[in-house]
Amino acid sequence: MSHPLAFANQCLYHARIVQAGWQSELEAQREPSLAVDLAFAPLLQKVFLDAYGWLLLAGCRVRTAPEHPPHTVRDLPSLPAGLVLPAEIAACAELESTGWLAALQAPISRNATVRQSNNLAANTAVPSLEQFDLWGQNLTALAQHIADAIDES
């Protein structure tokens, strides 16, 4: 399994396991939900960013995987002379500045704050499990899009 697309799929699989553990901990209500969110969110963010980096490498048709994937388009290795950035990777660069990828890449504060909203505590600093579910769906769709592009080339 040395192809970046395989590594991306492995990360997405691991992410589903982490998400299931997060959901189980929230349902068990053994710990405060903010503590559970702070335990799982940074881990899941890293797994998703690793998956994204492997997808970037796969989209650039990189065959030999580096030890660690990039987490942004600007961190990609230089393409060989004469090759241009594939359209799907250029679209990712746009999403990094204004779309869902910008939100996924945003640092998660370890000093989360809680605000009161209609007498319910709402965490404003840590993305929710539901937000990560959406990002996971977006990454899965991106993986399929890149796999299709690779198949067509």
Side-chain angles (χ1 to χ4, degrees):
M1 182 166 38
S2 63
H3 192 277
L5 189 56
F7 288 140
N9 286 324
Q10 182 181 48
C11 285
L12 292 173
Y13 172 69
H14 290 161
R16 287 190 294 276
I17 294 169
V18 173
Q19 287 172 290
W22 188 350
Q23 182 67 45
S24 292
E25 279 300 310
L26 287 173
E27 289 171 357
Q29 298 181 346
R30 289 184 293 258
E31 303 294 336
S33 62
L34 179 57
V36 174
D37 292 349
L38 282 169
F40 281 94
L43 171 61
L44 194 52
Q45 181 186 42
K46 173 152 184 353
V47 174
F48 275 169
L49 290 175
D50 283 351
Y52 174 62
W54 293 124
L55 291 172
L56 290 175
L57 292 167
C60 289
R61 312 319 189 258
V62 171
R63 294 278 180 210
T64 305
E67 188 172 336
H68 302 286
H71 287 174
T72 66
V73 170
R74 71 181 169 277
D75 293 335
L76 280 167
S78 299
L79 295 175
L83 294 181
V84 297
L85 202 62
E88 57 271 11
I89 303 305
C92 288
E94 293 255 339
L95 289 170
E96 286 180 16
S97 61
T98 59
W100 63 270
L101 283 169
L104 175 61
Q105 293 170 331
I108 295 174
S109 173
R110 299 301 288 170
N111 300 318
T113 58
V114 176
R115 64 173 168 79
Q116 295 297 323
S117 172
N118 297 334
N119 295 328
L120 296 175
N123 180 6
T124 59
V126 180
S128 66
L129 175 59
E130 292 77 17
Q131 181 61 63
F132 277 99
D133 286 341
L134 291 173
W135 289 334
Q137 292 170 25
N138 290 341
L139 283 169
T140 299
L142 180 61
Q144 186 59 55
H145 180 71
I146 289 175
D148 292 344
I150 291 169
D151 289 343
E152 292 172 5
S153 63

